[in-house]
Amino acid sequence: MSFRLVVLVSGSGTNLQALLDATADEAFGARVVAVGADRDGIEGLARAERAGVPTFVRKVSDHSGREAWDEALAEQIAEFKPDLVVSAGFMKILGPRVLGMFPVVNTHPALLPSFPGAHAVRDALSYGVRLTGCTVHLVDSGVDTGPVIAQEAVAVREGDDEDSLHERIKDVERGLLVEIVGRMARYGWTVSGRTVRLGGEQGGEYDDHDDLGRDLRNQEDTHRP
Ligand code: GRF
């Protein structure tokens, strides 16, 4: 049985599309079982519908507050029994209920811990950095503060504006997200403090020990496929 992904989106869903395309190949080891959003009428939901993937929308404004929304979102996600939730351009901070029930990865268009938050590309440009990029990380209760899984750099070019830079970052981001989610699905992962180790990183073998030689096999935060 293949590894189950629920993907959360708020916009155009090109990262979702990259995952949908990758999961069309069974060897990828995962499939998208549902796509959720915090708003209607977005291209991300249309992409899921075209791919025949079930969708759901949970808007904060339909609930009495963040807590009730978090509860409703968790319940809805749980119906699809995901092994991993992927926040791919989902523009809401996930609450404790969702985060307590499922491992969640997020993709962010900057090299964290620089430029967290909703305007990462704009903030990096106005700071004047020459190098930015993207980060795939595990989600914790903070804003883009969870343990980093992988990062890739993108150079800022003379004359870049927010859109041109974001498009180049997204080109790289889609590939990185697909690669990391695929490896998590096929090989599992281990979290030790802020270090995330993907199985298969050590010459294709699942690594049962951390850098200090400690046995990770019975550790709570070891996720086997
Ligand atoms: C990505 O750059 C993501 O990191 C950011 O919003 C963008 C979403 O793009 N939070 P898309 O909806 O996947 O095309």
Side-chain angles (χ1 to χ4, degrees), residues 195-214:
T195 303
V196 184
R197 181 162 294 118
L198 302 182
E201 255 178 2
Q202 318 274 319
E205 294 285 314
Y206 192 94
D207 184 17
D208 282 327
H209 296 84
D210 68 10
D211 294 341
L212 300 173
R214 291 175 298 205

Side-chain angles (χ1 to χ4, degrees), residues 70 74 93-104 138-142:
D70 176 33
I93 306 298
L94 292 166
R97 208 59 193 126
V98 169
L99 296 178
M101 283 172 80
F102 321 100
V104 184
L138 288 175
V139 177
D140 65 9
S141 58

Side-chain angles (χ1 to χ4, degrees), residues 11-16 88-89 91 107-109 166 170 173:
S12 64
T14 63
N15 281 281
L16 163 67
M91 301 308 282
T107 174
H108 182 75
H166 200 172
K170 280 172 63 166
E173 198 179 5

